[in-house]
């Protein structure tokens, strides 16, 4: 069964500092990986996705993530954090239709990001 | 609107009552998913619809939960005889259906069982 681990429940960074959120996955085939962000009272917004090809993917809002198969990781990075980035971030792995069930997402438990001004 | 629309945004009901949650997906999206977000369990897949195919119900937690999708568009998630552990945010997402198409989420329905 697929699974996702986000080891950091809370992270606090200063505005302007760099950010890295960790994500490790377990999946038996080529994973389909996603990062979503959730602001309070709102749904999930897709930041970026990886399906194949270049292992460094660019997303919205200046975020990027790097897929490392050898480490089963898909860490999210941003060079300079803005106060508006404070939110909860979720890493997810999709079944990719292999099981015939569409792209069901399995989510990590999320990382709450706080930005200090 | 261009996004996934869910209603109601908030629902408070008494234990034992039935509730219906509605999801209106993005026009043209053939795939529709329901997820549940709760403090104890995080984000969990519930059910998946794709076109006219039989839905994938593998994530439904009990037979009190059911969902339908009429005309390939609007979906309703029904919870019968609600229990306090059903309290959660129920999120709906839709996509173009192919496995490599991202899912777009609504803002969810916050369900509180008294």
């Amino acid at each position: 069964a697929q699974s996702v681990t986000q080891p950091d429940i809370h992270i606090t960074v200063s505005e302007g500092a760099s950010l890295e959120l960790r994500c490790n996955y377990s999946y038996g085939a080529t994973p389909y990986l996603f990062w979503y962000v959730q602001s309070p009272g709102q749904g999930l917004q897709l930041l970026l996705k990886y399906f194949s090809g270049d292992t460094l993917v660019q997303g919205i809002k200046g975020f990027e993530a790097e897929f490392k198969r050898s480490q089963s990781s898909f860490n999210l990075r941003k060079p300079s954090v803005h106060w508006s980035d404070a939110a909860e971030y979720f890493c997810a792995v999709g079944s990719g239709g292999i099981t015939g069930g569409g792209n069901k997402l399995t989510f990590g438990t999320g990382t709450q990001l706080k930005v200090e001004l | 609107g261009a996004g996934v629309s869910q209603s109601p945004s908030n629902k408070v009901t008494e234990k034992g009552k039935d509730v219906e949650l509605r999801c209106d997906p993005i026009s043209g999206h053939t795939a529709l998913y329901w997820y549940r977000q709760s403090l104890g369990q995080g984000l969990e897949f519930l059910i998946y619809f794709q076109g006219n195919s039989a839905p994938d119900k593998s994530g439904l937690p009990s037979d009190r939960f059911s969902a339908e999708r009429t005309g390939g568009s609007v979906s309703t998630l029904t919870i019968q005889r609600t229990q306090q552990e059903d309290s959660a945010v129920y999120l709906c997402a839709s996509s173009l259906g192919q496995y490599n198409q991202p899912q777009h989420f609504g803002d969810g329905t916050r369900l509180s069982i008294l």
Side-chain angles (χ1 to χ4, degrees), chain A residues 36 38 43 46 51 103-105, chain B residues 33 37 45 56 99 103 106:
Chain A
Y36 283 87
Q38 186 178 37
L46 179 69
F51 290 111
N103 204 6
K104 292 183 290 188
L105 298 178
Chain B
Y33 302 79
Q37 185 174 25
F45 164 80
D56 178 347
Y99 69 90
Q103 295 174 33

Side-chain angles (χ1 to χ4, degrees), chain A residues 32 34 36 38 41-44 46 49 51 90 96-97 100-105 107, chain B residues 33 35 37 43-45 48 56 58 91 99-108 110:
Chain A
Y32 300 90
F34 307 82
Y36 283 87
Q38 186 178 37
Q42 296 189 3
L44 301 169
L46 179 69
K49 63 185 187 292
F51 290 111
F90 292 92
N103 204 6
K104 292 183 290 188
L105 298 178
F107 289 89
Chain B
Y33 302 79
Y35 295 87
Q37 185 174 25
L43 273 157
E44 306 170 278
F45 164 80
Y48 158 71
D56 178 347
S58 60
L91 292 166
Y99 69 90
N100 59 353
Q101 295 298 319
Q103 295 174 33
H104 300 265
F105 284 80
D107 287 342
R110 180 174 297 278

Side-chain angles (χ1 to χ4, degrees), chain A residues 71-87:
Chain A
Q71 299 177 17
S72 298
S73 69
F74 188 57
N75 294 348
L76 182 71
R77 301 194 295 249
K78 186 169 185 179
S80 177
V81 170
H82 188 263
W83 64 267
S84 60
D85 293 325

Side-chain angles (χ1 to χ4, degrees), chain B residues 1-5 24-31 69 72-74 94-96 104:
Chain B
V4 176
S5 177
D24 200 342
I26 294 172
S27 178
H29 280 192
T30 59
R69 188 178 185 193
S73 181
V74 172
S94 70
S95 78
L96 287 171
H104 300 265

Side-chain angles (χ1 to χ4, degrees), chain B:
Chain B
V4 176
S5 177
Q6 291 188 247
S7 61
S9 54
N10 286 282
K11 177 72 176 179
V12 181
T13 192
E14 294 179 346
K15 177 182 172 181
K17 300 287 189 182
D18 297 352
V19 295
E20 287 189 350
L21 312 179
R22 176 188 168 103
C23 173
D24 200 342
I26 294 172
S27 178
H29 280 192
T30 59
L32 187 146
Y33 302 79
W34 283 98
Y35 295 87
R36 178 170 70 174
Q37 185 174 25
S38 58
L39 283 176
Q41 302 297 324
L43 273 157
E44 306 170 278
F45 164 80
L46 296 177
I47 189 169
Y48 158 71
F49 295 89
Q50 170 60 53
N52 296 321
S53 301
D56 178 347
K57 306 178 182 180
S58 60
L60 294 179
S62 78
D63 58 8
R64 296 186 296 105
F65 287 72
S66 63
E68 63 177 18
R69 188 178 185 193
T70 54
S73 181
V74 172
S75 176
T76 303
L77 177 69
T78 301
I79 309 173
Q80 296 178 309
R81 306 181 302 281
T82 52
Q83 303 293 314
Q84 287 189 331
E85 60 263 29
D86 299 334
S87 295
V89 176
Y90 290 81
L91 292 166
C92 176
S94 70
S95 78
L96 287 171
Q98 293 87 357
Y99 69 90
N100 59 353
Q101 295 298 319
Q103 295 174 33
H104 300 265
F105 284 80
D107 287 342
T109 294
R110 180 174 297 278
L111 177 62
S112 300
I113 309 300
L114 302 179

